Amino acid sequence: MESIPFADLGLASARDKVLAGERLSLDEGLALLECPDPHALQALAWAARERRHGDRAHYVVNRHVNPTNICVNRCRFCAYRRDEGQKGAYVLTPDEAMAKLADAGPLDEVHIVGGCHPSLGLDYYLDLARRVRAAYPRASIKALTAVEVEHLARLSGLDVPVVLAALREAGVDMLPGGGAEIFADAARRTLCPEKLSGEGWLQVMAQAHEAGLRSNATMLFGHVETPRERLEHLDALRRQQDATGGFVCFIPLPYLPGNNPLGAEAQGPQAMDVLRTVAVSRLMLDNFPHIKAYWVMLGLKLAQLCLSWGADDLDGTVVEEKIGHEAGSESSQALTTAQLEEAIRASGFTPVRRDGLFRAAHDGNAPASAGKEAPHA
Ligand code: SF4
């Protein structure tokens, strides 16, 4: 750290604030993102990460379930959605969804997201959540993005807080962070004009936190947004977290250009841009406990590198992933616990197994039929 010329780089105040544990301004974050010497940024992100997490890096034994790819929206970066009746369109029955979970063995987290189906109503999701909760009493259930929640509320003629309360009652612990994309209005209109606005996304998250649910947050980057819009996105999340405190983890997601209309004009971020964005996320989001390097969309090797640039989590075993892979992700569909632990150790960190809420997890949550688990608290 001593050998890095922070003052010459115009980063003296940013360095001083990071080392004192003080909050960076948006302009300081932007100067770090665009800093000509990336080692200066990496050194500060390392210091912030180490202060919070030491040499620990987290992972989760989880399984993704995507109930349907039929969606009323037409986000231009999406390779996953289908129209009803289109080749490849599907809706899983709850039995099919449960069978996918059962095949995965013991789980610490169940992750449920999909498209905004034109008629699949709240009852379907409540039934699925209840069945997952009964089968996995202690696993975290992370289900439905803010976009899906708002869609279900409109479809059902219910207020968003009523939908959130029903999901919580059915056993959902938290919302995944998807659908945030980039909050800036003009970029969002280009990317996903039908989708819930950035302000609407933040409002649903506030309502979720007020309902006692936790959530993650994401940012899709490396498409049409400007560097300042990335910082504005982080700043909006930081202000929301100050107000409601329910975010657990932030996940910067690189745009993947495969099989989607936006791919004709945007290529996605370079590796160094990914590392810079992860580092700035760690430094700006001083009130977020965790920063995730999502190996599915980054690829495992780049995700490993992100652990030294501010991230403290690699996500999990996943088992089956559709959304990133249909957009061209070349990563595996699944990693074993041993592979995740080896990936973390090989990066110089100590693996820590966690559930969706980052509570310690050790032995997996076997399905209830195995008769070993106490009821979910
Ligand atoms: S990103 Fe989500 S909301 Fe947008 S089209 Fe794809 S499935 Fe639908």
PDB file of all heavy atoms in Angstrom, residues 71 73-75 77-78 80-81 114-116 147 181 195, ligand 1:
ATOM      1  N   CYS A  71     -42.836 -15.034 -20.355  1.00  0.00           N
ATOM      2  CA  CYS A  71     -42.730 -13.719 -19.715  1.00  0.00           C
ATOM      3  C   CYS A  71     -43.413 -12.655 -20.570  1.00  0.00           C
ATOM      4  O   CYS A  71     -43.253 -12.635 -21.794  1.00  0.00           O
ATOM      5  CB  CYS A  71     -41.258 -13.355 -19.501  1.00  0.00           C
ATOM      6  SG  CYS A  71     -41.059 -11.841 -18.521  1.00  0.00           S
ATOM      7  N   ASN A  73     -42.718  -9.523 -20.362  1.00  0.00           N
ATOM      8  CA  ASN A  73     -41.729  -8.486 -20.669  1.00  0.00           C
ATOM      9  C   ASN A  73     -40.811  -8.942 -21.795  1.00  0.00           C
ATOM     10  O   ASN A  73     -40.738 -10.133 -22.114  1.00  0.00           O
ATOM     11  CB  ASN A  73     -40.903  -8.153 -19.421  1.00  0.00           C
ATOM     12  CG  ASN A  73     -41.755  -7.532 -18.333  1.00  0.00           C
ATOM     13  OD1 ASN A  73     -42.785  -6.919 -18.611  1.00  0.00           O
ATOM     14  ND2 ASN A  73     -41.352  -7.700 -17.087  1.00  0.00           N
ATOM     15  N   ARG A  74     -40.098  -7.970 -22.369  1.00  0.00           N
ATOM     16  CA  ARG A  74     -39.181  -8.273 -23.477  1.00  0.00           C
ATOM     17  C   ARG A  74     -37.863  -7.534 -23.269  1.00  0.00           C
ATOM     18  O   ARG A  74     -37.450  -6.710 -24.089  1.00  0.00           O
ATOM     19  CB  ARG A  74     -39.802  -7.844 -24.819  1.00  0.00           C
ATOM     20  CG  ARG A  74     -41.019  -8.650 -25.207  1.00  0.00           C
ATOM     21  CD  ARG A  74     -41.699  -8.141 -26.462  1.00  0.00           C
ATOM     22  NE  ARG A  74     -42.821  -9.004 -26.788  1.00  0.00           N
ATOM     23  CZ  ARG A  74     -42.723 -10.149 -27.462  1.00  0.00           C
ATOM     24  NH1 ARG A  74     -41.547 -10.534 -27.927  1.00  0.00           N
ATOM     25  NH2 ARG A  74     -43.777 -10.893 -27.675  1.00  0.00           N
ATOM     26  N   CYS A  75     -37.224  -7.829 -22.163  1.00  0.00           N
ATOM     27  CA  CYS A  75     -35.953  -7.157 -21.871  1.00  0.00           C
ATOM     28  C   CYS A  75     -34.947  -7.498 -22.976  1.00  0.00           C
ATOM     29  O   CYS A  75     -34.811  -8.665 -23.359  1.00  0.00           O
ATOM     30  CB  CYS A  75     -35.434  -7.605 -20.513  1.00  0.00           C
ATOM     31  SG  CYS A  75     -36.625  -7.332 -19.184  1.00  0.00           S
ATOM     32  N   PHE A  77     -31.806  -7.628 -23.074  1.00  0.00           N
ATOM     33  CA  PHE A  77     -30.611  -8.402 -22.708  1.00  0.00           C
ATOM     34  C   PHE A  77     -30.957  -9.849 -22.364  1.00  0.00           C
ATOM     35  O   PHE A  77     -30.099 -10.619 -21.978  1.00  0.00           O
ATOM     36  CB  PHE A  77     -29.917  -7.765 -21.495  1.00  0.00           C
ATOM     37  CG  PHE A  77     -30.838  -7.600 -20.318  1.00  0.00           C
ATOM     38  CD1 PHE A  77     -31.121  -8.653 -19.480  1.00  0.00           C
ATOM     39  CD2 PHE A  77     -31.457  -6.388 -20.094  1.00  0.00           C
ATOM     40  CE1 PHE A  77     -32.002  -8.512 -18.426  1.00  0.00           C
ATOM     41  CE2 PHE A  77     -32.338  -6.224 -19.036  1.00  0.00           C
ATOM     42  CZ  PHE A  77     -32.609  -7.291 -18.203  1.00  0.00           C
ATOM     43  N   CYS A  78     -32.227 -10.228 -22.515  1.00  0.00           N
ATOM     44  CA  CYS A  78     -32.679 -11.522 -22.004  1.00  0.00           C
ATOM     45  C   CYS A  78     -32.708 -12.573 -23.100  1.00  0.00           C
ATOM     46  O   CYS A  78     -33.324 -12.373 -24.151  1.00  0.00           O
ATOM     47  CB  CYS A  78     -34.066 -11.374 -21.393  1.00  0.00           C
ATOM     48  SG  CYS A  78     -34.692 -12.924 -20.697  1.00  0.00           S
ATOM     49  N   TYR A  80     -33.593 -15.699 -22.141  1.00  0.00           N
ATOM     50  CA  TYR A  80     -34.315 -16.768 -21.433  1.00  0.00           C
ATOM     51  C   TYR A  80     -35.804 -16.766 -21.752  1.00  0.00           C
ATOM     52  O   TYR A  80     -36.416 -17.832 -21.868  1.00  0.00           O
ATOM     53  CB  TYR A  80     -34.081 -16.547 -19.935  1.00  0.00           C
ATOM     54  CG  TYR A  80     -34.878 -17.421 -19.028  1.00  0.00           C
ATOM     55  CD1 TYR A  80     -34.647 -18.794 -18.944  1.00  0.00           C
ATOM     56  CD2 TYR A  80     -35.887 -16.877 -18.221  1.00  0.00           C
ATOM     57  CE1 TYR A  80     -35.386 -19.591 -18.097  1.00  0.00           C
ATOM     58  CE2 TYR A  80     -36.627 -17.672 -17.369  1.00  0.00           C
ATOM     59  CZ  TYR A  80     -36.379 -19.026 -17.316  1.00  0.00           C
ATOM     60  OH  TYR A  80     -37.114 -19.806 -16.473  1.00  0.00           O
ATOM     61  N   ARG A  81     -36.410 -15.608 -21.912  1.00  0.00           N
ATOM     62  CA  ARG A  81     -37.866 -15.510 -22.019  1.00  0.00           C
ATOM     63  C   ARG A  81     -38.399 -16.158 -23.301  1.00  0.00           C
ATOM     64  O   ARG A  81     -37.713 -16.242 -24.311  1.00  0.00           O
ATOM     65  CB  ARG A  81     -38.319 -14.048 -21.978  1.00  0.00           C
ATOM     66  CG  ARG A  81     -38.021 -13.301 -23.275  1.00  0.00           C
ATOM     67  CD  ARG A  81     -38.793 -12.005 -23.426  1.00  0.00           C
ATOM     68  NE  ARG A  81     -40.235 -12.177 -23.420  1.00  0.00           N
ATOM     69  CZ  ARG A  81     -40.937 -12.600 -24.479  1.00  0.00           C
ATOM     70  NH1 ARG A  81     -40.346 -12.916 -25.626  1.00  0.00           N
ATOM     71  NH2 ARG A  81     -42.241 -12.710 -24.389  1.00  0.00           N
ATOM     72  N   GLY A 114     -38.102 -16.777 -12.157  1.00  0.00           N
ATOM     73  CA  GLY A 114     -38.488 -17.121 -13.524  1.00  0.00           C
ATOM     74  C   GLY A 114     -39.072 -15.914 -14.233  1.00  0.00           C
ATOM     75  O   GLY A 114     -38.840 -14.767 -13.827  1.00  0.00           O
ATOM     76  N   GLY A 115     -39.857 -16.176 -15.271  1.00  0.00           N
ATOM     77  CA  GLY A 115     -40.469 -15.096 -16.033  1.00  0.00           C
ATOM     78  C   GLY A 115     -41.735 -14.587 -15.372  1.00  0.00           C
ATOM     79  O   GLY A 115     -42.261 -15.200 -14.434  1.00  0.00           O
ATOM     80  N   CYS A 116     -42.235 -13.447 -15.888  1.00  0.00           N
ATOM     81  CA  CYS A 116     -43.510 -12.881 -15.417  1.00  0.00           C
ATOM     82  C   CYS A 116     -44.610 -13.444 -16.318  1.00  0.00           C
ATOM     83  O   CYS A 116     -44.949 -12.870 -17.366  1.00  0.00           O
ATOM     84  CB  CYS A 116     -43.480 -11.360 -15.505  1.00  0.00           C
ATOM     85  SG  CYS A 116     -42.270 -10.608 -14.395  1.00  0.00           S
ATOM     86  N   VAL A 147     -39.383  -7.579  -9.374  1.00  0.00           N
ATOM     87  CA  VAL A 147     -40.165  -7.468 -10.613  1.00  0.00           C
ATOM     88  C   VAL A 147     -41.285  -8.512 -10.621  1.00  0.00           C
ATOM     89  O   VAL A 147     -42.440  -8.211 -10.965  1.00  0.00           O
ATOM     90  CB  VAL A 147     -39.234  -7.642 -11.836  1.00  0.00           C
ATOM     91  CG1 VAL A 147     -40.024  -7.716 -13.130  1.00  0.00           C
ATOM     92  CG2 VAL A 147     -38.218  -6.505 -11.884  1.00  0.00           C
ATOM     93  N   GLU A 181     -31.207  -4.450 -12.641  1.00  0.00           N
ATOM     94  CA  GLU A 181     -30.499  -4.071 -13.882  1.00  0.00           C
ATOM     95  C   GLU A 181     -29.678  -2.810 -13.626  1.00  0.00           C
ATOM     96  O   GLU A 181     -28.765  -2.824 -12.852  1.00  0.00           O
ATOM     97  CB  GLU A 181     -31.489  -3.890 -15.045  1.00  0.00           C
ATOM     98  CG  GLU A 181     -32.654  -4.888 -15.108  1.00  0.00           C
ATOM     99  CD  GLU A 181     -32.299  -6.364 -14.971  1.00  0.00           C
ATOM    100  OE1 GLU A 181     -31.129  -6.699 -14.916  1.00  0.00           O
ATOM    101  OE2 GLU A 181     -33.227  -7.205 -14.889  1.00  0.00           O
ATOM    102  N   LYS A 195     -40.360  -3.148 -17.991  1.00  0.00           N
ATOM    103  CA  LYS A 195     -40.079  -3.626 -16.639  1.00  0.00           C
ATOM    104  C   LYS A 195     -40.339  -2.548 -15.590  1.00  0.00           C
ATOM    105  O   LYS A 195     -40.250  -1.356 -15.873  1.00  0.00           O
ATOM    106  CB  LYS A 195     -38.610  -4.054 -16.587  1.00  0.00           C
ATOM    107  CG  LYS A 195     -38.236  -4.903 -15.414  1.00  0.00           C
ATOM    108  CD  LYS A 195     -36.819  -5.407 -15.591  1.00  0.00           C
ATOM    109  CE  LYS A 195     -36.779  -6.920 -15.544  1.00  0.00           C
ATOM    110  NZ  LYS A 195     -35.483  -7.452 -15.904  1.00  0.00           N
TER     111      LYS A 195
HETATM  112  S1  SF4 B   1     -35.185 -10.541 -17.807  1.00  0.00           S
HETATM  113 FE1  SF4 B   1     -36.896 -11.411 -16.646  1.00  0.00          FE
HETATM  114  S2  SF4 B   1     -38.543  -9.889 -16.875  1.00  0.00           S
HETATM  115 FE2  SF4 B   1     -37.039  -9.473 -18.512  1.00  0.00          FE
HETATM  116  S3  SF4 B   1     -37.798 -10.648 -20.286  1.00  0.00           S
HETATM  117 FE3  SF4 B   1     -36.303 -11.947 -19.209  1.00  0.00          FE
HETATM  118  S4  SF4 B   1     -37.549 -13.212 -17.871  1.00  0.00           S
HETATM  119 FE4  SF4 B   1     -38.815 -11.465 -18.479  1.00  0.00          FE
END
